[in-house]
Amino acid sequence: MRKTQWFSFRNLFHKPSLTSSMKPRPVNAYSFVPFSPFVMLDPTILTIGGIVLAVALIEWLLDRWGVMDLADQFEKVMRFILPVTFYGALFYFFATFMF
């Protein structure tokens, strides 16, 4: 049989406890921004960037050579492809970024 300990109401709430009832826990600290510049060397991101730069260079060369019609067609296509490629690469970067 257990021994019961009695406290009066006044002693229970007005007497300060000498020992803390909470035990300290170890705190795990994590970095919220584990960013390294080498993350940008992802082969997929580099391939997409290389293709976009190559098409821009081709458009510049066609414009320089005087083939305006073909350069204008490239410009119309790139006006749609560049934003789609940028937002797609941005989405891919954050989807594969390890937090």
Side-chain angles (χ1 to χ4, degrees):
M1 194 157 144
R2 285 180 141 179
K3 183 178 179 184
T4 327
Q5 197 172 15
W6 290 94
F7 294 103
S8 69
F9 182 77
R10 187 167 304 192
N11 287 340
L12 181 66
F13 288 105
H14 294 294
K15 188 175 181 184
S17 176
L18 297 176
T19 60
S20 174
S21 62
M22 294 184 66
K23 296 178 183 176
R25 288 190 231 162
V27 177
N28 294 330
Y30 297 102
S31 173
F32 291 108
V33 187
F35 185 74
S36 169
F38 295 113
V39 174
M40 299 303 257
L41 296 177
D42 182 32
T44 307
I45 299 292
L46 289 176
T47 304
I48 291 171
I51 290 171
V52 169
L53 284 176
V55 171
L57 181 66
I58 291 170
E59 180 187 347
W60 178 78
L61 283 173
L62 287 173
D63 189 32
R64 181 121 179 159
W65 289 342
V67 190
M68 299 295 180
D69 293 337
L70 200 52
D72 189 42
Q73 293 298 321
F74 264 93
E75 180 192 357
K76 287 178 183 175
V77 170
M78 292 306 289
R79 194 179 298 164
F80 173 74
I81 290 179
L82 281 176
V84 170
T85 305
F86 172 75
Y87 288 116
L90 193 66
F91 176 76
Y92 172 80
F93 176 73
F94 283 115
T96 60
F97 188 58
M98 301 304 278
F99 284 103

